[in-house]
Amino acid sequence: MRELNVDSRPFVRGMQIGCLCKDVIHRNIARYRDELDRVKKNHAEFLGELYSRLYKMHSVAIQELLGMANGSQTVFMDIFLLNYPEMWGGESGCTTVAIRNQSGAFIVHNEDEENWRRPDDYVLVRAMGEDGRPIFSAICTPPELPGNAASWNKNFFFSVDCMTPFPKRTLNDKNTPRFFEARKLLEQSSLEDALVVLDSDASASAFHYLFGEFGSGVIFSVEKFYEEMSVYAVEDFFYHTNHPTHKAFSQLDRARFSPNSVARMMTVKAKIKKSMRLPEVVSAMLHHLRRPIDGNDSSQTFATIFADLKSRKVSLVDEF
């Protein structure tokens, strides 16, 4: 996985990512060329209204995307749309486990993506402050915004799991694309502030976050369904794949459960125990939950990221 140390200024940071990852960005745009052109043609007015709102409410993310378009010499609206997957599809799934026991508090996340992607599509981005220390770090696939996979700043770590798409709603420019919501979390100075951001914004889709606070080891699971949100404090053991598990959503008729997501959840239940130490959980994630899990699985695991919250350390394995 490429590692990029980039500027603290949003536009410059985006331009550096665009220059250094030009090949990945062009490949992603080419992959979705037909869908991108269709959306731009059929929803031009809606996209203009959405852009105007996001420019005001998520200016850091917009500046980063403008920089990426400049650095990669691509059309901004293509970059913009690749950060709005709810508009054109493009969903995949990950697996995340959290444990709090006598050995510590930690989160382990398998970053899974569609199997057409290449291993070098993923990059570890570090936004560096003037003091030479990272402001935030994030795993991402440019031109997707930092924050959509496993990310952390000096105060907390979080991972993201897409939830199996719920029935789609009519397009609404008041609903924020989840990539933009996730990006804004990296700007927050505390876990509490991050939860306020999620609770105050209506989302354009359904997804799950697992937050862990460095130092204290406090862990929260958050499921978001459009403007609704459910928060669960993890006491000892928690795991999530790509369908809702909180009572607020899992018992609803609108919830959907893909066979692959259920299979991975059953594997976690069978192979990982709440008494395990971090190395044991990482080993189980690498050996039993690495995708593809069967011949019908169209995704693959690109990296396993693990956060030791009390030690304030984040590591990853990306060579299998």
Side-chain angles (χ1 to χ4, degrees):
M1 184 179 298
R2 283 182 277 188
E3 299 183 18
L4 310 180
N5 289 350
V6 294
D7 200 270
S8 60
R9 294 165 292 178
F11 181 85
V12 177
R13 177 165 61 239
M15 187 167 60
Q16 291 172 330
I17 295 172
C19 287
L20 295 169
C21 300
K22 185 176 181 179
D23 57 331
V24 179
I25 293 173
H26 280 257
R27 188 158 59 243
N28 282 334
I29 291 174
R31 172 77 181 189
Y32 295 108
R33 180 77 276 159
D34 291 344
E35 291 95 329
L36 294 172
D37 288 343
R38 174 183 55 79
V39 170
K40 287 189 290 185
K41 178 181 178 181
N42 296 337
H43 302 284
E45 182 177 354
F46 168 81
L47 291 173
E49 293 170 351
L50 178 67
Y51 171 80
S52 296
R53 186 179 76 84
L54 292 178
Y55 188 86
K56 296 175 183 177
M57 303 299 295
H58 297 267
S59 59
V60 170
I62 291 294
Q63 288 297 315
E64 284 180 347
L65 296 182
L66 287 167
M68 282 191 219
N70 183 290
S72 62
Q73 298 179 314
T74 52
V75 176
F76 168 75
M77 190 51 69
D78 288 339
I79 298 258
F80 180 76
L81 279 175
L82 285 174
N83 283 275
Y84 190 3
E86 294 93 342
M87 190 75 171
W88 49 271
E91 294 286 348
S92 57
C94 304
T95 304
T96 309
V97 172
I99 290 181
R100 300 176 72 233
N101 58 27
Q102 291 182 343
S103 70
F106 44 88
I107 295 173
V108 185
H109 175 78
N110 271 6
E111 181 59 29
D112 303 333
E113 257 289 1
E114 295 170 300
N115 58 18
W116 62 266
R117 291 191 185 274
R118 303 179 186 181
D120 61 354
D121 282 1
Y122 273 93
V123 297
L124 172 58
V125 173
R126 299 188 189 92
M128 307 302 292
E130 294 182 358
D131 60 359
R133 297 180 180 179
I135 300 171
F136 70 76
S137 302
I139 309 293
C140 61
T141 55
E144 292 178 4
L145 288 160
N148 182 48
S151 310
W152 59 100
N153 58 27
K154 66 179 181 180
N155 296 310
F156 59 88
F157 172 95
F158 65 93
S159 60
V160 184
D161 305 311
C162 303
M163 286 202 286
T164 302
F166 283 58
K168 290 187 176 181
R169 291 183 174 181
T170 303
L171 291 176
N172 183 345
D173 64 20
K174 302 299 188 292
N175 288 54
T176 302
R178 61 182 173 79
F179 287 12
F180 283 82
E181 279 196 344
R183 175 62 190 87
K184 196 166 188 176
L185 297 176
L186 282 172
E187 302 169 40
Q188 307 311 306
S189 58
S190 69
L191 193 156
E192 289 77 13
D193 289 344
L195 294 179
V196 169
V197 166
L198 287 177
D199 194 35
S200 62
D201 210 0
S203 305
S205 61
F207 53 93
H208 170 259
Y209 284 106
L210 201 54
F211 289 97
E213 186 174 59
F214 289 125
S216 71
V218 169
I219 300 174
F220 285 105
S221 163
V222 179
E223 288 188 347
K224 191 77 184 287
F225 173 55
Y226 295 103
E227 61 279 341
E228 301 174 58
M229 188 171 90
S230 172
V231 180
Y232 170 76
V234 176
E235 296 183 3
D236 48 19
F237 183 34
F238 182 84
Y239 46 92
H240 204 283
T241 52
N242 305 112
H243 60 268
T245 62
H246 294 202
K247 289 183 179 180
F249 304 132
S250 63
Q251 298 176 0
L252 299 177
D253 291 338
R254 58 193 172 182
R256 297 179 181 177
F257 301 82
S258 74
N260 187 290
S261 180
V262 173
R264 280 180 285 123
M265 181 162 281
M266 296 303 294
T267 300
V268 173
K269 187 175 181 180
K271 299 296 183 180
I272 299 179
K273 307 301 178 185
K274 63 182 180 181
S275 60
M276 285 183 168
R277 296 177 178 271
L278 177 57
E280 296 173 299
V281 178
V282 173
S283 177
M285 293 285 278
L286 288 170
H287 290 94
H288 301 297
L289 287 147
R290 179 183 167 192
R291 300 180 71 178
I293 61 172
D294 58 40
N296 297 317
D297 193 349
S298 62
S299 293
Q300 61 179 316
T301 300
F302 282 88
T304 298
I305 304 100
F306 41 103
D308 186 334
L309 299 173
K310 293 190 175 181
S311 298
R312 300 176 180 269
K313 295 180 180 178
V314 179
S315 306
L316 65 89
V317 177
D318 65 340
E319 295 182 3
F320 304 108

